Amino acid sequence: MQGFLVLSDAASTDAASGKINLLGAGWSVTGPAVPMSAVAGFLRVPWEKATRKIRFALRLLDEEGVPVRPFTDSDGPLVFSGEITPDPDHLEPIATRVPFNLSFAIPIPPLPLETGRVYEWVMEAEETRVASVHFAVRAEQPMNGAEKVSEMSSSAR
């Protein structure tokens, strides 16, 4: 099995065609406040494995490889999981000459991630790592002297 992940500002799945519609795709640096985003996943499955349900998971790890727990009201790491069931019976014959393509789009809420750090989305299929994508969260930029004076004078108004 072969996998690919793409980070984007937004993504949606076209159920009829299996295609993913992406907006603002391909970024690798965000923040310092992490906005809403999306992860698009693509699996290419050999035909001998395309006849059964395929379990997948998408996990967020920090730069040390530790699962991220971004929400204080939840004890667990951030994981999206599910099953994809291929339906090869509805394909035209020529499609069986290339690997079966499965895709999904997961909207990600704004995450309270640490600034100045690198993170990694990891996709597993059938408990095997098949793809990953790294992204960095910008560090907070300290204000220089001119910005501080400007901010102080605007707040005095």
Side-chain angles (χ1 to χ4, degrees):
M1 238 179 287
Q2 193 177 29
F4 306 91
L5 291 173
V6 178
L7 299 174
S8 64
D9 295 340
S12 64
T13 304
D14 178 350
S17 67
K19 294 178 184 178
I20 302 294
N21 299 307
L22 298 169
L23 179 64
W27 58 263
S28 61
V29 179
T30 189
V34 180
M36 184 166 182
S37 61
V39 178
F42 303 89
L43 281 173
R44 290 191 178 151
V45 183
W47 278 101
E48 61 272 9
K49 293 183 179 181
T51 57
R52 65 180 196 280
K53 288 182 182 176
I54 297 169
R55 292 172 308 169
F56 74 93
L58 187 65
R59 304 176 191 286
L60 183 60
L61 307 177
D62 67 16
E63 53 198 341
E64 285 84 35
V66 176
V68 174
R69 301 171 188 267
F71 302 109
T72 56
D73 60 344
S74 169
D75 229 7
L78 186 57
V79 177
F80 298 94
S81 61
E83 293 179 339
I84 299 174
T85 306
D87 188 7
D89 296 335
H90 292 93
L91 294 177
E92 53 192 292
I94 196 162
T96 61
R97 294 172 52 191
V98 294
F100 195 75
N101 194 47
L102 301 168
S103 56
F104 59 86
I106 299 175
I108 309 295
L111 297 174
L113 300 177
E114 287 184 52
T115 61
R117 303 223 19 188
V118 173
Y119 294 88
E120 177 183 25
W121 283 107
V122 173
M123 180 172 54
E124 298 168 351
E126 296 300 312
E127 299 180 15
T128 300
R129 184 181 177 134
V130 293
S132 70
V133 63
H134 290 84
F135 68 96
V137 178
R138 287 181 186 94
E140 296 282 346
Q141 295 296 321
M143 287 193 281
N144 65 35
E147 290 171 330
K148 286 179 186 176
V149 169
S150 173
E151 183 177 287
M152 287 175 22
S153 62
S154 355
S155 64
R157 292 181 198 172

